[in-house]
Amino acid sequence: MVFGSMRRGAAGGSTSSGFLKDIEDVSLDTNLFCCLDAGNIDSYDGSGQTWADQTSNGTDFWLGADGGSSTDDPSFQGVAGAESNAEYFLLDGGDFFTVKVMSTNIQNLHKDSADWTIVAWVFIPTGGWSLNDGWFGDADATASTVGVYTPTAASTAARLEVNKGSAGAAMSETTAVGIGTANAWNLIGISLDEAAGGSASFFYKRSGGSSTATTFDATYTSPSAASATYDFAIGQKGSGSGILDNLTRFAGFFMFNASLTQANLDSIYTQTNGSRSFV
């Protein structure tokens, strides 16, 4: 398990800002291993190919597939470092982010006793996301792949698949609840505790008002101990397929190596929305 939420490059190594500070202020940074913040100058300075992790873990992402400028790079909007609701990455239907290094924390997402939470501030365009598009993943619908992915189900419902490299997923869960509100900013997430089973895991969404947590049994059946097939990506399923629709926006992306509660995610929503006024 890797810890540490100290801002990289800070004088004396102790000053945090942006979403990282928001998460620290609600005392939920202990298990935070990735904090991406489009509005924070240390996470993205307005140019270059890297969306940098604010924590000390170095879970940095490329814009697009790699370090080269390309048509699959999301477009930064706003003023670098302004930390308002106008700073975000805009996707055009062919854009995504790819992790630079597949850390142990990411490799553990699909393995036995997985315990994690992934959350994002995302604007879902009018009409919602297309069927089978994924907001993160390192596998795809091919049974031989290993990893996790999030293909949108019918009526833009939330869905999570965990592949084990052979026929029959290790875990597959589809809800009847929409992943988020279209034409609006949402905090969406998945909190998963594989060992706990039962109703310990849940899909989360909130866009003003109260949050919705839809529980599910996240027990994995014969999960693979192998590495994920693809590098973990944001804005697609992992293989370059299921890329999110045009006009999707990402402002923040947070990963924890622990399963947070609905109340925890509500605290993150309140603190981060309070600093940016998304909703």
Side-chain angles (χ1 to χ4, degrees):
M1 191 174 288
V2 179
F3 299 101
S5 60
M6 187 179 297
R7 193 187 79 185
R8 296 188 302 176
S14 60
T15 301
S16 298
S17 59
F19 286 147
L20 177 56
K21 183 179 187 302
D22 290 336
I23 295 171
E24 289 176 345
D25 284 348
V26 294
S27 302
L28 290 172
D29 57 299
T30 302
N31 297 96
L32 179 67
F33 72 87
C34 178
C35 182
L36 305 177
D37 182 349
N40 182 265
I41 197 70
D42 294 305
S43 190
Y44 193 71
D45 64 5
S47 64
Q49 294 300 116
T50 299
W51 196 8
D53 177 17
Q54 285 186 276
T55 80
S56 60
N57 295 290
T59 314
D60 299 336
F61 281 72
W62 296 118
L63 274 59
D66 52 37
S69 179
S70 178
T71 56
D72 57 19
D73 297 347
S75 173
F76 176 73
Q77 307 293 309
V79 178
E83 296 189 7
S84 75
N85 59 19
E87 281 69 55
Y88 54 84
F89 284 99
L90 179 66
L91 281 58
D92 67 2
D95 299 338
F96 53 90
F97 306 87
T98 307
V99 74
K100 290 188 177 184
V101 177
M102 286 288 284
S103 68
T104 299
N105 283 319
I106 293 177
Q107 293 286 10
N108 285 342
L109 299 177
H110 65 270
K111 295 180 180 179
D112 190 35
S113 298
D115 192 17
W116 52 266
T117 305
I118 297 178
V119 192
W121 267 112
V122 61
F123 183 94
I124 300 174
T126 301
W129 289 332
S130 298
L131 183 66
N132 290 322
D133 283 358
W135 64 281
F136 71 79
D138 50 21
D140 65 17
T142 306
S144 59
T145 63
V146 174
V148 301
Y149 68 106
T150 52
T152 305
S155 301
T156 65
R159 183 178 171 193
L160 173 66
E161 299 282 337
V162 181
N163 281 8
K164 60 186 179 182
S166 58
M171 200 281 295
S172 176
E173 183 65 31
T174 301
T175 77
V177 177
I179 196 168
T181 302
N183 196 33
W185 281 103
N186 299 259
L187 188 70
I188 63 172
I190 301 172
S191 177
L192 185 144
D193 185 343
E194 191 274 333
S199 59
S201 302
F202 60 91
F203 295 95
Y204 176 93
K205 66 173 182 176
R206 187 171 179 183
S207 180
S210 300
S211 63
T212 299
T214 306
T215 61
F216 63 95
D217 185 343
T219 301
Y220 293 178
T221 302
S222 303
S224 176
S227 296
T229 300
Y230 304 110
D231 289 338
F232 186 91
I234 301 169
Q236 54 126 317
K237 288 187 285 192
S239 61
S241 63
I243 299 174
L244 291 180
D245 295 88
N246 183 39
L247 302 181
T248 296
R249 310 172 191 171
F250 277 94
F253 193 89
F254 320 130
M255 305 176 76
F256 302 81
N257 51 21
S259 48
L260 302 187
T261 67
Q262 181 179 3
N264 292 155
L265 297 187
D266 282 342
S267 293
I268 292 173
Y269 175 95
T270 299
Q271 196 72 16
T272 54
N273 188 51
S275 67
R276 304 290 170 94
S277 300
F278 290 113
V279 180

